[in-house]
Amino acid sequence: MIIQGVAGSGKTSIALHRVAFLLYRFKDRLSAKNVVILSPHKVFGDYISGVLPELGEEPIFEASLADIAEAQLAGVIGFEADKDPLIVYDAVWAQRVRFKSTLAFVKMMDDFIKQLPAIAFAPADYSYGRFTASKEMIRARFLAYDSYPVKRRLQMIAADIYDRFATDNFMEDELPKSGTILKALHKMLKVKNTLALYKEFYKRSNIAQMFVMPAKKTLEWADVYPFLYIRAAFEGLRESEIIRHAVIDEMQDYTPVQYAAL
């Protein structure tokens, strides 16, 4: 459901009243912990967090884009806070931000992700004793699992190879463990982590000048959600088993790639 209206018309209040109604109507199946409210800034979050208790409902988890990024990227890579273009003026930086806020940028990323089988993975024969899984079989399974992140596909292929070896093991020979097979499959990756793949995206797209790291292992804010988008396709993202519904406040303030990653 999309609620549209001019500034100050009560869009957020309507959305929160709708949430309160659903929590009451489906209280046997839905609770406050199953809903998250995304807001672009803490100002909106502070307002939102106080409305539902006033409506007789429990407080709902409220998060900003930065909160989600921190949860996903903790221990992976750091990032700068968003900058206010009215305070920090840097024409080159502003150009990068504008470019990464376009639908054209998302299309470039989608085109790159479609090429991941060739860019990221070079299948080879895998042998263990008298058992062999051909590179053709591995490639076919890799393509068959195209709805999954690359590294998740490798886990599934490792399980497939083990099952095939076990089926053919009429002599009851020693079989490799799934972890051993997975380690061999990981060696077939051309890139080992999301950052390397993200850099490859800019290189292959001939826009290397659009990627600048302000410090070691630190992304500019404009790169955070593009990075997450690539990471989702390559390594996968953490998923909540609790959250079932999301309310997005001030949705006009989000960029296409942020929506794509969400």
Side-chain angles (χ1 to χ4, degrees), residues 160-174:
D160 289 345
I161 292 174
Y162 180 85
D163 288 344
R164 174 170 292 190
F165 286 0
T167 299
D168 294 341
N169 192 20
F170 56 87
M171 296 297 292
E172 297 186 341
D173 294 327
E174 179 186 359

Side-chain angles (χ1 to χ4, degrees), residues 37-49 62-67 81-85 221 248-254 258:
I37 297 178
L38 300 182
S39 56
H41 306 292
K42 193 175 186 303
V43 173
F44 293 106
D46 290 343
Y47 163 70
I48 288 169
S49 63
E62 175 271 322
S64 66
L65 290 180
D67 293 330
D82 195 7
K83 298 177 183 178
D84 187 340
W221 174 250
I248 302 177
D249 195 34
E250 300 295 329
M251 63 182 295
Q252 74 279 354
D253 291 346
Y254 297 80
Q258 288 170 342

Side-chain angles (χ1 to χ4, degrees), residues 10 12 21 24 31 41 58 67 71 73 75 87 97-98 106 109 111 137 153 162 181 206 231 248 255 258:
T12 299
F21 166 75
Y24 174 77
S31 68
H41 306 292
E58 297 178 17
D67 293 330
L73 298 179
I87 298 176
V97 172
R98 284 195 298 269
V106 177
M109 300 193 80
D111 291 342
M137 175 265 185
R153 296 190 215 183
Y162 180 85
I181 301 172
N206 296 316
R231 183 172 174 82
I248 302 177
T255 66
Q258 288 170 342

Side-chain angles (χ1 to χ4, degrees), residues 16 19-20 23 30-38 45-63 242-243 245 247:
L16 295 178
V19 170
L23 290 174
L30 187 67
S31 68
K33 67 181 181 181
N34 301 134
V35 182
V36 63
I37 297 178
L38 300 182
D46 290 343
Y47 163 70
I48 288 169
S49 63
V51 173
L52 285 174
E54 293 176 0
L55 297 176
E57 295 295 340
E58 297 178 17
I60 283 180
F61 177 64
E62 175 271 322
I242 299 175
I243 301 299
H245 301 278
V247 177

Side-chain angles (χ1 to χ4, degrees), residues 57-239:
E57 295 295 340
E58 297 178 17
I60 283 180
F61 177 64
E62 175 271 322
S64 66
L65 290 180
D67 293 330
I68 294 174
E70 287 177 2
Q72 292 289 345
L73 298 179
V76 177
I77 196 168
F79 58 87
E80 287 187 329
D82 195 7
K83 298 177 183 178
D84 187 340
L86 298 179
I87 298 176
V88 179
Y89 181 75
D90 181 334
V92 178
W93 165 79
Q95 182 185 23
R96 292 196 299 271
V97 172
R98 284 195 298 269
F99 175 69
K100 294 168 189 177
S101 300
T102 64
L103 283 170
F105 180 64
V106 177
K107 184 180 184 306
M108 291 177 69
M109 300 193 80
D110 286 337
D111 291 342
F112 176 78
I113 288 171
K114 289 177 183 177
Q115 301 174 50
L116 277 185
I119 294 171
F121 190 54
D125 292 346
Y126 171 73
S127 296
Y128 189 91
R130 66 181 183 86
F131 303 101
T132 297
S134 69
K135 66 179 181 181
E136 289 78 16
M137 175 265 185
I138 293 173
R139 179 183 291 110
R141 301 313 299 160
F142 186 84
L143 296 176
Y145 295 135
D146 64 346
S147 62
Y148 294 91
V150 167
K151 290 194 174 181
R152 173 60 180 144
R153 296 190 215 183
L154 299 189
Q155 294 174 345
M156 299 167 77
I157 295 169
D160 289 345
I161 292 174
Y162 180 85
D163 288 344
R164 174 170 292 190
F165 286 0
T167 299
D168 294 341
N169 192 20
F170 56 87
M171 296 297 292
E172 297 186 341
D173 294 327
E174 179 186 359
L175 294 176
K177 296 180 179 179
S178 293
T180 301
I181 301 172
L182 181 59
K183 187 178 294 185
L185 292 174
H186 271 277
K187 291 181 180 179
M188 300 177 196
L189 288 172
K190 296 180 182 180
V191 289
K192 304 303 181 183
N193 57 61
T194 302
L195 181 58
L197 189 61
Y198 192 55
K199 291 178 179 179
E200 185 68 15
F201 159 68
Y202 283 95
K203 179 181 176 181
R204 285 177 176 262
S205 302
N206 296 316
I207 52 171
Q209 74 281 4
M210 289 294 178
F211 180 57
V212 175
M213 297 186 74
K216 186 177 181 180
K217 293 186 177 180
T218 303
L219 298 172
E220 290 186 323
W221 174 250
D223 280 306
V224 170
Y225 275 80
F227 182 90
L228 284 173
Y229 196 41
I230 293 291
R231 183 172 174 82
F234 185 59
E235 300 187 60
L237 299 177
R238 297 174 59 191
E239 297 182 7

